[in-house]
Amino acid sequence: MYDCIVIGAGHAGCEAALACARMNKKTLLITGNLNMTGSMPCNPSIGGPAKGVVVREIDALGGEMARNADKTQIQVKMLNSSKGPAVRALRFQSDKRLYPREMLKTLQNQENLDLKEGYVEKFLVENNTVKGVLFENEKIESKAVVITTGTYMRSRILRGHNYKEEGPDSQKTSRGISDELKELGFEVIRLKTGTPARIYTDSIDFSKGSVEYGDKEKLYFSFDKIDYNRPQVPCCLIYTNEVTKQIILENLDKSAMYGGVVEGVGPRYCPSIEDKIVRFKDKERHQIFLEPESLELNETYVQGFSTSMPEDVQDRMIRTLPGLENCRVKRYAYAIEYDAINPMQLKPTLESKLIDGLYFAGQVNGTSGYEEAACQGLMAGINVSLKLDNKEPLILKRNEAYIGVLIDDLITKGIRDPYRLLTSRAEYRLLLRNDNADERLMEYGHKVGLLREEKYQKYLEKRSNIDKYMEYLKASKIAPKKANPYLKEHEKIELNETVSGYELLKRPEIDYNDVITLFNLEIDPEIIEAIEITAKYSGYIAKANEQAKKMLEAENIRIPDDFDYDGIRNLASEAKEKLKKIKPLTIGQAMRISGVNPADITQLLFALKR
C-alpha cells in the first residue's frame, strides 16, 4: 500500500509527489506519458509579476520549481526593477526541452517515489474516504490521492469550427475522471485557455523588430544560487497593425470562441488576439513578443497572439506581423477546453470537503499558469504528509505568502474564469516581496522537514548578517565634509548635518551602492538590499503589519465545522446559503466571502458568543 498516489505529472503533480516522498511517505506518481513530465505546452517561461514571487516561496518551503528554472533558463529578467520592491519579480525564459528532462530526472532519483505510465479509471472510495485507485484494471491502495490532471480532463483542441478530443501537445485526453468526480458529488465546470502558433526561427526577419535582452546581472530563483552558466538568448518585440485587425474582424465568425463552438470560460487576463481586438477597438496596435522555446529547437513562440481561428485565417494573420511576412509555421495556435472542479469544495489544505483523503491541485482547481499549479501541488503534498503523521496542517495566511492569497481566494471566492495571480490580489503585497520569501517561509519549510538543513543554516547566517550590518549602519556616522563631494559628483542632495548610514539609506535618491562606497563596505548586495528596503519602507511595512494584525484577530476566531447557520434568525438568506456551502473555518475567512456583509458578520459573532 502507498501512503499517497499523485495523478498527473505536470507542475502540480511533480511538486506534490516530491513533497510527499521527501517527507518520508511512500508515493506513487501516475501519468499518461512520462516524457511529458513538467511539460510547458504554453509559453516556456517561469515567473513574472506575483508569479515570480511564488516561485521564490516554493523554494523557501523546499519545493523544486525554482531549482529547475535556474538549471534551464535561457533568458533572465528582473521585472519592475525601477519600481518599488512590492512589484519586483523575476521572469525566466526556460528551455522547453531541458526543463521537463531535468524534472523527470529529479523524480526518477527521488527515494520513496515510484513512477507509472498510464491512466486512472476510477477512485476506490469507502464511507466517503479514498482508499486508492483503479489503474488499468489493477487496484492500487493508498491512504491519500492527489488529483493534478491539469487541462487533460475531457479536453478538446479547437481551431475554427473543428475540434479534436485531445490534450495539449496532441496528448491523450482523460475521459473517465470527470464522470467519476460528478458521481462523487463534485461540481465540474468547463474552462478554456489557448496558446499561440510556433514559427520556425530561421524563417523570421528579426531586423524588423526591437531586440530585447535579458539582465546582465546574475539572478536566481532558488536561494541556493547555483550558477549553471547557461547561454542567454534575446527576445524580439513587434506589434500588430491595422491589416492584422481588419483580417481578424472580417473572420470573427470563423473563430471557435466567437463562432459558438467554445463551451468553456476563457481567462480574463490572458485573452486571445481576437478578444483583444474586440474588447479594445480603439487601440491601434498590440505588442507581440517573439520568444525562443529551446536551444535545441528551431522554434519561436509568438507571445500575445493566441487564437482559435482556423489555420488558413491564422496564416493570413501571422503574415501581417513585421518580420513574419515570409515565415514558416511549425504549429498553429489553438484553444483548449477542459474540465475543472469548483474549488470552493476544498478545505484550505486542498483536501476535498466531500471525500476524506482526496486532494486537488493545479489547473483542475481552476487556476492558470505553471507557478500557480506548482505551489498548489507543493501545499497539497505537504498537507497530505502532515495529515498522515497526525500533525497540524500548514495553512499559509494572506500576509505570509502569495500562496496563501491564491488558496484563500480559490476556496473562499471560487472562480468564474481561469484564476491568475496578480499583485493587485494581495492586500499585503509590500510584505510579500521577491527579496524576503526566505524570511517569510523557510521556518515553515524547515519545520515540516522539506528544507535541507544546509539551506536552512545559510538562511540563518544571512538573517544574522542583516541584523549585524543593520546595527553597524545605525551606529556609523558620516559628516557632510566627507559625504558631500561624492554626493555632488553624483548629482544627489548634499548633507547639512552628520547622519548615520541607516538614515542616509532612507533618502529616496540614495541606493545601497552609495552607502557601500561612502562607508567602504564589503558586503553581499543581497544583505544591503534587505537593509535598504527596511530603511526606506519601514513606515509602510509597519502600517501593513498593523493591518495584518487586525486581520489575524478575525482569523483567530474559529467557527466549528458543524455550526448551525440556520439557527441565526437575522442572517441574510444569501449569506446563510454561502456560509453553509463554503463552511469557513474562521470569522476572517467568512468576512472574505462574496455576499456576506458586515451585518451578517455581526450576527454570526453574536451567535458564536452564545
Side-chain angles (χ1 to χ4, degrees), residues 70-222:
D70 286 352
K71 287 180 192 175
T72 62
Q73 47 85 8
I74 54 177
Q75 191 193 81
V76 176
K77 269 191 177 182
M78 177 65 81
L79 304 182
N80 302 319
S81 56
S82 62
K83 298 181 181 178
V87 292
R88 292 174 200 160
L90 281 171
R91 183 185 185 274
F92 285 11
Q93 196 69 20
S94 294
D95 191 306
K96 184 173 183 171
R97 283 282 180 88
L98 188 58
Y99 189 99
R101 281 207 304 265
E102 287 296 322
M103 189 60 84
L104 178 58
K105 196 185 301 181
T106 301
L107 293 169
Q108 289 170 331
N109 293 331
Q110 179 60 51
E111 291 181 16
N112 300 319
L113 180 59
D114 295 335
L115 308 178
K116 273 185 181 289
E117 209 170 54
Y119 292 87
V120 169
E121 299 166 14
K122 195 175 177 62
F123 304 113
L124 306 178
V125 177
E126 293 178 16
N127 300 320
N128 292 325
T129 301
V130 74
K131 298 293 184 181
V133 300
L134 185 64
F135 171 74
E136 298 182 354
N137 295 321
E138 174 191 0
K139 285 186 178 182
I140 306 177
E141 294 183 342
S142 72
K143 299 171 186 174
V145 172
V146 184
I147 300 176
T148 70
T149 45
T151 59
Y152 285 87
M153 286 205 314
R154 220 165 54 85
S155 54
R156 61 176 189 166
I157 301 292
L158 305 106
R159 293 188 181 102
H161 293 178
N162 299 319
Y163 65 86
K164 288 183 180 178
E165 291 190 354
E166 60 185 24
D169 291 328
S170 303
Q171 295 300 299
K172 184 179 175 183
T173 187
S174 173
R175 292 187 180 85
I177 292 180
S178 288
D179 293 336
E180 178 80 358
L181 291 175
K182 287 177 186 175
E183 286 183 21
L184 291 171
F186 289 93
E187 182 185 342
V188 175
I189 54 181
R190 196 79 171 148
L191 297 175
K192 178 197 85 74
T193 187
T195 188
R198 273 51 163 199
I199 308 298
Y200 284 103
T201 305
D202 60 9
S203 69
I204 300 172
D205 182 357
F206 289 100
S207 68
K208 294 187 177 181
S210 171
V211 178
E212 301 279 320
Y213 293 96
D215 292 348
K216 291 181 180 179
E217 182 186 357
K218 294 282 186 183
L219 298 169
Y220 310 90
F221 268 124
S222 176

